[in-house]
Amino acid sequence: SNVRLPSATAVEATKVILLGLVQGCEIGFINKSLQYITISERTMLQNTNVLLLMVTAQVVGLEALTFGRSIAGLLLVGGGVLQGLESGDQGGLDETAADDHWKGTVYMLSSMLLTSIKWSMIQFMTQRAPPESYLGSMSKFELAARVQPITGIVCLALAASFERRAITNQAMWHSRQIVRVPFIALGITVIMCSELKLVQLTSAVAMGVLVNLHHIPMVMAGVTFFHDRLPVLSIYGFALNIAGGFCYAVARRYDAKAAAQLAAAE
């Protein structure tokens, strides 16, 4: 943007910093959880996050948890559980990780809570900020440019705590993987800006619903181009996810229409 941004108030600056901290901890905790829990457990837990998002949005006054949205959330959770059951043979836990299994669950649940807080914060920052304010005048790239460095610092600190051997391994710093880091960072930035815009146009809950649906086109591309086999439980899971997404869209449209009619009547 060529327009000079207004000066940030202390509250606005605090929101940006908190968003970066929350996002960094969210990423660190979900990665750490995989040390202790299986892929199938993570899949099932992560797909219940849409219900947590709905409850969070209800509590903070962003979006009402209506009957139709509750049904949509349950369908999406059911689809995620079926996909998790299908991936249940993708590797187990060693004895040490099994002893600390509860740690993985705590890390995963903490990440899910932070995810709900993050998307709710983003909706407040992109939808509720006055247009003439610092946050209201900021483009999505400008917001990402302020949030991502904070997230990166948090992730680096957590990596130093959780994966100290990898950080101190000299071979890693001379690996060819380092060359790919700028390209990965660019991709992450584009994804984040797209997500910020999507939340601004829709809602935090809608973002959660789409997260549950986004892997379906990826799987279908694998089936179409690489002739991957799609397990039966995954098919049922995808069907429930699609039904949940459709149900949420109908409920959202119905609630918006009812709110418009109520406003017109007043």
Side-chain angles (χ1 to χ4, degrees):
S1 176
N2 295 323
V3 180
R4 184 179 177 84
L5 290 174
S7 298
T9 65
V11 173
E12 289 175 320
T14 301
K15 288 179 180 179
V16 172
I17 294 171
L18 283 177
L19 180 57
L21 293 174
V22 167
Q23 184 169 256
C25 291
E26 172 206 11
I27 295 170
F29 288 169
I30 192 171
N31 289 335
K32 182 64 174 177
S33 70
L34 289 176
Q35 181 178 341
Y36 305 110
I37 63 177
T38 62
I39 295 294
S40 60
E41 288 175 316
R42 193 200 73 162
T43 300
M44 287 187 281
L45 285 171
Q46 198 169 22
N47 279 284
T48 63
N49 205 40
V50 65
L51 282 180
L52 185 57
L53 260 171
M54 289 180 174
V55 173
T56 303
Q58 167 75 29
V59 171
V60 300
L62 285 174
E63 188 170 320
L65 183 57
T66 61
F67 177 76
R69 297 176 199 226
S70 301
I71 295 299
L74 291 174
L75 288 171
L76 289 164
V77 170
V81 169
L82 288 180
Q83 293 168 51
L85 290 174
E86 185 59 52
S87 62
D89 294 331
Q90 292 185 10
L93 300 169
D94 57 35
E95 293 182 4
T96 303
D99 292 337
D100 292 333
H101 185 262
W102 65 272
K103 292 183 181 179
T105 303
V106 170
Y107 279 123
M108 189 67 214
L109 293 176
S110 298
S111 177
M112 290 166 56
L113 179 60
L114 290 172
T115 299
S116 300
I117 294 173
K118 180 189 76 172
W119 291 124
S120 297
M121 288 180 64
I122 290 174
Q123 185 172 346
F124 272 114
M125 294 168 68
T126 57
Q127 292 185 4
R128 303 292 179 89
E132 68 280 359
S133 67
Y134 173 75
L135 290 176
S137 304
M138 196 183 298
S139 70
K140 304 305 165 285
F141 277 105
E142 289 171 328
L143 180 57
R146 288 156 176 78
V147 172
Q148 290 293 79
I150 302 171
T151 298
I153 292 172
V154 174
C155 288
L156 183 61
L158 290 176
S161 174
F162 293 157
E163 303 172 357
R164 187 168 302 175
R165 290 183 180 178
I167 293 293
T168 56
N169 186 355
Q170 294 298 320
M172 187 196 73
W173 299 104
H174 300 286
S175 171
R176 293 183 179 179
Q177 302 297 331
I178 296 295
V179 180
R180 301 179 181 178
V181 170
F183 301 100
I184 296 172
L186 177 62
I188 291 173
T189 301
V190 172
I191 291 172
M192 182 180 182
C193 292
S194 302
E195 291 174 343
L196 291 173
K197 187 63 177 179
L198 187 58
V199 173
Q200 182 185 25
L201 295 174
T202 56
S203 69
V205 176
M207 185 66 206
V209 172
L210 291 173
V211 166
N212 277 39
L213 295 174
H214 84 284
H215 54 278
I216 296 179
M218 297 168 59
V219 172
M220 295 309 299
V223 172
T224 303
F225 297 108
F226 302 106
H227 308 290
D228 294 340
R229 295 183 61 185
L230 196 58
V232 175
L233 282 182
S234 291
I235 295 175
Y236 293 151
F238 292 152
L240 287 179
N241 280 343
I242 293 171
F246 179 77
C247 184
Y248 176 78
V250 171
R252 184 179 171 87
R253 183 179 179 85
Y254 174 82
D255 293 340
K257 187 175 181 180
Q261 291 176 344
L262 183 60
E266 294 177 352

